[in-house]
Each structure stands twice: as structure tokens, then as C-alpha cells.
Amino acid sequence: MEFEDATRALAGLAQPTRLRLFRRLIAAGSAGQAAGELAAALGVPNNTLSSHLACLKNAGLIGSRRDGRSIIYSVEIDAVRALLGFLVDDCCGGRPELCAGLVESKVESVPMQPNNEQRS
Amino acid sequence: MEFEDATRALAGLAQPTRLRLFRRLIAAGSAGQAAGELAAALGVPNNTLSSHLACLKNAGLIGSRRDGRSIIYSVEIDAVRALLGFLVDDCCGGRPELCAGLVESKVESVPMQPNNEQRS
DNA sequence: CCATTATTTCCATTATTCTGGAATTATGGA
DNA sequence: TCCATAATTCCAGAATAATGGAAATAATGG
């Protein structure tokens, strides 16, 4: 991942509404969720949320597909992985001991539950 | 790490000058680097860089100590780990398979070299 | 076609961030 | 004390981002 892409991705996540949006989309998994549902769930006007969706999409962190009248957004997991990889490279590249064990410990602490439906 | 802290940390990194600054401080390790040196290295006026340093410090990502006339900044590695942990929780919490192996593969690809001095 | 639903684009307003000149604070040495 | 050095704070202008009303676009079902 290039420096500029990383900046854009970080800027995408560096705003409360968008970070909430991103978390919700992560929870939704590859099934994704419609723009309108997302706006209602987050309590944000449709057009406002639309601009946030565009920002995340421009950053490459999410993608969209049309389904009838709705547009379904979902996380581009490869881009998320690339961002994490960029941070890990920069953060731990010369000092692996600092980040080793971080992801593993998280993985073990989660009992591999299936994709639970989001509420609210 | 709380949601608000994560937002602040992400916002800290979501700006080109600050991301470059952060990368340089990561490279500098616990020895850190003086504010003036950092400003010169990045080609940014002292006062401009000072405000960026304050932003990263406010986000908890870096700390400072005085050494004579200089103020030495260095990364708060625990905060960086916490941010990565937050992202991993959100990104992979319900789907561990997505991020498992990310950090490990990076660690293996780096031959555990000692903290090499950064050049310009 | 027409009405309805879902979403986006346009645009103006407000808010926030970035930047750097000038003044200020802190330290160490003569 | 006085000077030079290192860094920060103050401040204001410029640039960028966030917000939401109103209009425009897109798809579906009659």
C-alpha cells in the first residue's frame, strides 16, 4: 500500500460517523448493508451518510453493488488488510517484537462465532 | 481503547506530514528525536511541526522528554499497539480468519535487524 | 408512463484543520 | 546578567471537511 493510499484510508476512518459506519459494515460482513438502512441505524440523514460512504469508497475501504432499488455497501477486506499491513510494516517493521502476538491473542480470545446479525 | 481515543489516534495519523513524522519516530525507536531535527528532516517550519507534534501527543501516540534545550519525542508504543488492537478487534473480531497471519507473516519476513539509524 | 422508493448530486453554510510570521518561554554557557 | 539556541504559543488567513435542504437520477411495480 502506498503512502498516499494509507493517508486516504486513515482519513476515511478518522471521523466518528465514518468509524461507526465502518464498524457496522465490518459486522455486516460480505452480505453488506443498504445505504438507507445504514443511515437509519446511525441516525444520520441520507445525504449526509451518502457523502461519508463516498469518502470510504474513495479510500477503497468499501465497495458497493446495486440490488434492485437499494445500493448495498460492504467492506473491501483486502483494503483493510492492506492498511493493517502498512501500519504493521511501519510500526513493527524494524522491531517485530513490538507487534508479534497482537493478532494471535485476539484471534484466540474470540470463539470463532458465526457472523451474528447486527441489532438496532 | 475507547472509540473516541481511536478516532483521535486515527486523525493523528491521517495527515501526510504527521504520518511521515510518525514513521520517522517509529524508526528512531525509544531513543526518539529532537523536535528541531524532525522539523529539519521533514522540511517543515519549526512551529508548524510543533503543532503536529502536539496533535500526535494529544492523541497519545507519542510522548516527550526534555534533554537540555531540546525536547525529544518518541513513540508511545503501547498506544500504537492499542490502536492496532482496536482495529483488529473491529476488523477481525467476528471473523478471525480475515486477519490471522497478517502480523506473523510480516514478522517472519524481517530478519530481526537491530535498530538501524535513519538517514535524512 | 406514472407514482413510489432508494440513493445520490448540487450547493451553501458552518465548522475544523493547516500553516507560518511574530512574540514568548526555557535552557545553558560566558 | 546577557546572549544564543530550542521549542512553543498566539494568532489570523487560507484551505479543507462536514452537514443537510432541495433537486436530480435510477429502479420497480402498476
Side-chain angles (χ1 to χ4, degrees):
Chain A
M1 171 172 269
E2 302 293 329
F3 178 86
E4 216 177 302
D5 300 321
T7 310
R8 226 192 317 275
L10 288 166
L13 299 178
Q15 203 276 344
T17 302
R18 285 197 299 268
L19 187 52
R20 287 201 297 143
L21 174 55
F22 177 77
R23 299 223 280 179
R24 181 160 271 272
L25 285 176
I26 285 289
S30 58
Q33 197 164 14
E37 285 184 68
L38 290 165
L42 298 177
V44 172
N46 270 351
N47 58 352
T48 301
L49 194 79
S50 185
S51 71
H52 286 307
L53 284 165
C55 175
L56 286 177
K57 188 174 181 183
N58 177 253
L61 290 169
I62 65 175
S64 64
R65 66 194 141 87
R66 180 173 279 276
D67 176 28
R69 293 175 187 168
S70 298
I71 293 182
I72 310 295
Y73 285 89
S74 55
V75 166
E76 289 286 348
I77 201 65
D78 285 345
V80 178
R81 281 180 64 94
L83 175 60
L84 283 177
F86 178 88
L87 290 175
V88 167
D89 271 347
D90 277 15
C91 150
C92 313
R95 318 179 130 246
E97 72 281 7
L98 295 176
C99 288
L102 185 67
V103 172
E104 297 87 324
S105 60
K106 299 288 179 187
V107 168
E108 278 170 26
S109 69
V110 173
M112 194 63 179
Q113 64 206 345
N115 185 19
N116 50 346
E117 282 306 303
Q118 63 279 358
R119 49 219 144 335
S120 167
Chain B
M1 171 173 269
E2 303 292 330
F3 179 86
E4 215 177 302
D5 300 321
T7 310
R8 226 192 317 275
L10 288 166
L13 299 178
Q15 203 275 346
T17 302
R18 284 197 299 269
L19 187 53
R20 288 202 296 143
L21 175 54
F22 177 77
R23 299 223 280 179
R24 181 160 272 271
L25 284 176
I26 285 288
S30 59
Q33 198 163 14
E37 284 184 70
L38 290 165
L42 298 176
V44 172
N46 270 349
N47 57 351
T48 301
L49 194 78
S50 185
S51 70
H52 286 307
L53 284 166
C55 176
L56 286 176
K57 189 174 181 183
N58 178 254
L61 290 169
I62 65 175
S64 63
R65 66 193 141 87
R66 180 174 279 277
D67 176 29
R69 293 175 188 172
S70 298
I71 293 182
I72 310 294
Y73 285 89
S74 55
V75 167
E76 290 285 350
I77 201 65
D78 285 345
V80 178
R81 280 180 65 95
L83 175 61
L84 282 177
F86 178 88
L87 290 175
V88 167
D89 271 346
D90 276 16
C91 150
C92 312
R95 320 181 127 243
E97 72 281 8
L98 295 175
C99 289
L102 184 68
V103 171
E104 298 87 323
S105 61
K106 299 289 178 187
V107 169
E108 278 170 25
S109 69
V110 173
M112 194 63 179
Q113 63 204 347
N115 185 19
N116 50 346
E117 281 307 302
Q118 65 281 356
R119 46 215 145 341
S120 181

